[in-house]
Amino acid sequence: MSMIEEAALAQLFAEARTFSRWLERDVPDGLIESALTMAFLGPTSGNCEPMRLVLVKSAQGKERLLPCVSSGNSEKVSTAPVTAIVAYDTLFYEQLPRLFPHTDARAWFTSNEALATETAFRNSALQGAYFILALRAQGLDCGPMSGFDPQAVDEAFFPDRRCRTNFLLNIGYGDRDALHARPPRLAFDEVARWV
Amino acid sequence: MSMIEEAALAQLFAEARTFSRWLERDVPDGLIESALTMAFLGPTSGNCEPMRLVLVKSAQGKERLLPCVSSGNSEKVSTAPVTAIVAYDTLFYEQLPRLFPHTDARAWFTSNEALATETAFRNSALQGAYFILALRAQGLDCGPMSGFDPQAVDEAFFPDRRCRTNFLLNIGYGDRDALHARPPRLAFDEVARWV
């Protein structure tokens, strides 16, 4: 393997941005479904794949979601073509006999709720990040958000409370004219060391 | 933007795999440093960038790490050219006046340790996933691992306990001949719904 092309790297990282405003351009459901299928190929601990999603697109769905988000995120959610609720299944381990069949991985979690919750949270965040980059790879733009009331979102969209929301993710074609300058990043030497 | 090339998608997702065995091929430090710099361009909540890493490459570093990993991961760590300790800075918010200067974001966290910890854990997992895909984009292979004693790793590598380990990540050129069949993935309809 060698390095992927500069243009692809730019699309995934260097020129990609977090968007708050969206072009009035149709977002085909199939692109999002392809990106999600691709994201599920990414690695998770013991292939546990705990991420679950509600893809909020209808006016009715947006109306249910809007009271749950912070005022600063309200317009972003109402104008985004799709807002994904990125959640995790607290009982993800029920799938492990099928997803990780060569050992009894289910037993690691059935008697240890703290480990199950931490594993679901960590791995759904990993999968959410794969999803962001897979959406960008499809030519779409993203706007992830943490400013919302997670209990309210869970009540509205997961009434049996089996799933819990990790973060929200606006999806569409971003309006580059509405971007501000990119905020600074920490440098390699500030965040990593070789030993 | 349009979809990136099929070959790049394959390298990032479709043909990429989690590796346990490694080719004896030199891994230039610069490739890992480039991947990390690229990964830091990925989105985090309020640009908080909490991920911190120790890149364990020396025999001495591996000797310190090996007693902290589960027996099943011992050979993977000892043979990987590099094992990254993917951690988060519990005091990440001290950087926010610089990273997110247009509001007092630091104040969101100074009086709310639970929110700070959750934010650091979620966003360092997102950044860890960006790092995995950025490494793959550089032509490298990964083997992320959760089978280790986090307290032991923290004691050995973060004696002041400011940082906490999220997961471990072997890095190198993977040996495709040692791969087993890819385990199954959940289908779109099992993990997502449109509303």
Side-chain angles (χ1 to χ4, degrees):
Chain A
M1 298 276 202
S2 56
M3 191 162 75
I4 67 173
E5 286 194 349
E6 203 63 44
L9 290 178
Q11 185 166 329
L12 294 170
F13 292 106
E15 285 172 21
R17 295 288 305 275
T18 290
F19 286 87
S20 299
R21 292 178 183 266
W22 308 93
L23 301 179
E24 289 195 20
R25 181 175 162 192
D26 186 49
V27 176
D29 293 356
L31 280 190
I32 292 177
E33 297 183 8
S34 294
L36 190 59
T37 301
M38 214 183 313
F40 264 79
L41 294 174
T44 53
S45 173
N47 195 32
C48 64
E49 305 173 37
M51 181 171 66
R52 302 292 180 269
L53 300 103
V54 181
L55 300 163
V56 184
K57 182 183 172 179
S58 68
Q60 195 186 11
K62 289 289 186 75
E63 261 166 50
R64 266 202 286 160
L65 182 56
L66 277 168
C68 313
V69 307
S70 66
S71 55
N73 285 332
S74 189
E75 195 185 334
K76 300 179 198 174
V77 169
S78 64
T79 56
V82 175
T83 303
I85 300 170
V86 178
Y88 57 86
D89 181 0
T90 57
L91 303 180
F92 70 91
Y93 48 81
E94 299 295 349
Q95 302 282 352
L96 287 176
R98 177 179 150 213
L99 298 178
F100 200 69
H102 56 286
T103 190
D104 183 12
R106 184 177 169 279
W108 304 341
F109 301 104
T110 45
S111 58
N112 192 340
E113 193 181 330
L115 178 68
T117 301
E118 183 182 298
T119 300
F121 186 65
R122 172 189 297 112
N123 285 278
S124 65
L126 293 174
Q127 290 188 286
Y130 305 147
F131 187 38
I132 289 170
L133 293 184
L135 289 161
R136 288 177 172 179
Q138 297 281 353
L140 289 162
D141 293 305
C142 294
M145 294 176 297
S146 286
F148 63 93
D149 178 342
Q151 292 200 324
V153 176
D154 292 352
E155 269 170 38
F157 290 91
F158 307 112
D160 68 2
R161 299 304 194 96
R162 176 168 168 153
C163 289
R164 288 187 207 140
T165 303
N166 193 331
F167 65 95
L168 302 182
L169 181 61
N170 290 323
I171 303 168
Y173 293 99
D175 180 1
R176 291 210 155 250
D177 293 339
L179 288 173
H180 299 286
R182 185 170 217 150
R185 293 303 195 271
L186 297 170
F188 179 85
D189 290 341
E190 294 176 285
V191 299
R193 66 179 197 267
W194 289 97
V195 302
Chain B
M1 297 276 201
S2 57
M3 191 163 76
I4 68 173
E5 287 194 350
E6 202 64 44
L9 290 177
Q11 185 166 328
L12 293 170
F13 293 106
E15 285 172 21
R17 294 289 304 277
T18 291
F19 286 86
S20 299
R21 291 178 183 267
W22 307 93
L23 302 179
E24 291 194 20
R25 181 176 161 191
D26 186 48
V27 176
D29 294 356
L31 280 189
I32 293 178
E33 296 183 7
S34 294
L36 190 60
T37 301
M38 215 183 313
F40 264 79
L41 294 174
T44 53
S45 172
N47 195 33
C48 63
E49 307 174 36
M51 181 169 68
R52 302 292 180 270
L53 301 102
V54 181
L55 301 163
V56 184
K57 183 182 172 181
S58 67
Q60 193 187 11
K62 288 290 185 76
E63 260 168 51
R64 266 202 288 160
L65 182 56
L66 276 168
C68 313
V69 308
S70 67
S71 56
N73 285 332
S74 188
E75 196 186 334
K76 299 178 198 174
V77 169
S78 64
T79 57
V82 175
T83 303
I85 300 169
V86 178
Y88 56 86
D89 181 359
T90 57
L91 303 180
F92 70 90
Y93 47 81
E94 299 295 350
Q95 302 282 352
L96 287 175
R98 177 179 150 209
L99 298 178
F100 200 68
H102 56 287
T103 189
D104 183 13
R106 183 177 171 279
W108 304 341
F109 300 105
T110 45
S111 58
N112 192 339
E113 191 181 331
L115 179 68
T117 301
E118 184 182 298
T119 300
F121 186 63
R122 172 188 297 112
N123 285 279
S124 64
L126 294 174
Q127 290 189 287
Y130 304 146
F131 186 40
I132 289 171
L133 294 184
L135 289 161
R136 288 176 172 179
Q138 298 281 354
L140 288 162
D141 293 305
C142 295
M145 296 176 297
S146 285
F148 63 93
D149 178 342
Q151 291 200 325
V153 176
D154 292 351
E155 267 170 40
F157 291 90
F158 307 113
D160 68 1
R161 298 303 194 96
R162 176 169 169 153
C163 289
R164 288 187 205 140
T165 303
N166 193 329
F167 65 94
L168 302 181
L169 180 61
N170 290 322
I171 303 169
Y173 293 99
D175 179 1
R176 292 210 154 249
D177 293 339
L179 288 174
H180 299 286
R182 185 172 215 148
R185 292 303 194 271
L186 297 170
F188 179 85
D189 290 343
E190 295 177 284
V191 299
R193 65 178 199 269
W194 288 97
V195 302

